[in-house]
Amino acid sequence: MCDYYFDGKGKAFRPMIVVLMARACNIHHNNSREVQASQRSVAIIAEMIHTASLVHDDVIDDANSRRGKMTVNQIWGERKAVLAGDFILSAASVALARIGNTTIISVLSQVIEDLVRGEFLQLGSKENENERFAHYLEKTFKKTASLIANSCKAVSILGCPDPEVHEIAYQYGKNVGIAFQLIDDVLDFTSCADQLGKPAAADLKLGLATGPVLFACQQFPEMNAMIMRRFSLPGDVERAQQYVLQSDGVQQTTYLAQRYCHEAMKEISKLRPSPERDALIQLTETVLTRDK
Ligand code: GRG
C-alpha cells in the first residue's frame, strides 16, 4: 500500500524544485558531500509528506482515482488507507530525524501542521464575501505552498549560513507554490479527467469555491447562494461551471498565478547566477503552462 504511489508516475514537482534550490544555494557556500546528502534527504522527505497527504486527502474526499489509477482507499478501504498515510508520514519523520538538525526538524514539522490546518480551513467557509478570498489564499498557502516554501528553506539552511539566502528560498517556494495551486484550480475547470488522472470539476463536486468561482461570483453575484450552500442542490455544479466558463474567472485566476510566478522569479534572481537558478526561473513558466 505504501509503495503504491512511489511508482514514478507523479510529476515529482516538489523534489525537483528542492534539488535545484539546494544546488542554487550551494553556489553561495562550499559544501561537503554530507551536506549534499542531507539536502537530498529533504527532497525525498518532501515527496513523502506530499504522498502521505494525498493518501489522507483521498480518504477525506472519498476519491476513487488519482494519477490515472484507483486510490489507496478505493482498493484497500478507508481504514487501511489512513494507516498507510500514517506509515508514510512516520517513515518521513524517521528520515527527518536522521538528518540530525533540530532547525530542519522544526521547519519541516511546520509543514505538517500547515497541511492539517489547510485541510481544516477547506472544511469551513466564510459567509462574508470580502473575507472569502483571503480565506482561500490562506488555505492555498497552507495546503500547497507551505511544503514547497519550507522545503526550499530547509535546503538553503543546510547549504548556506546567510539568512538572506534562506528568505529568498522561502519566498520563491511560497510564490511558486501558490501559483501551482491556482493553476491546479484552473485545470479543474479547463482540463478533462483523462489529462488530470482524476475526475474534472472535482472541487465543485466537493463543495469548494476556488479562484475561478470566486472571480466569477464578482461578475455573477447570483452565484453567492450556491457558494453558501456548497453547490449541494441538484444542478448547482453544472450551473456554477457554466457561470465560471461565461465569466473571466479562469483568466483572472491565471493572471493572479502569473503575478505570483513573477514574484518568485524576482526573488530567485537575487541569487548568484547558476544553471540551477536559471532552471528555477524557467520552472515558473512551466507552472503556468502545465496541463496536468
Ligand atoms: C498526512 C501530512 C498529512 C496531512 C493531512 C489531508 C491533509 C492533511 C492535507 C491535504 C493536502 C493536499 C492533498 C493538498 C493538495 C496539494 C496538491 C496540489 C496536490 C496535487 O499535487 P501534484 O499535482 O500531484 O504535484 P502529483 O500527482 O504530480 O504528485
Side-chain angles (χ1 to χ4, degrees), residues 10-11 14 47 49-50 52-54 56-57 60 67 89 112 115-116 119 143-144 180-181 184 290:
K11 291 186 288 295
R14 292 154 190 82
E47 189 66 0
I49 295 175
H50 168 59
S53 79
L54 294 181
H56 280 184
D57 203 47
I60 294 168
R67 296 181 182 164
L89 193 58
I112 301 172
L115 281 166
V116 177
E119 194 63 31
K143 263 195 85 170
T144 307
F180 184 86
Q181 184 60 56
D184 218 64
R290 75 193 179 98

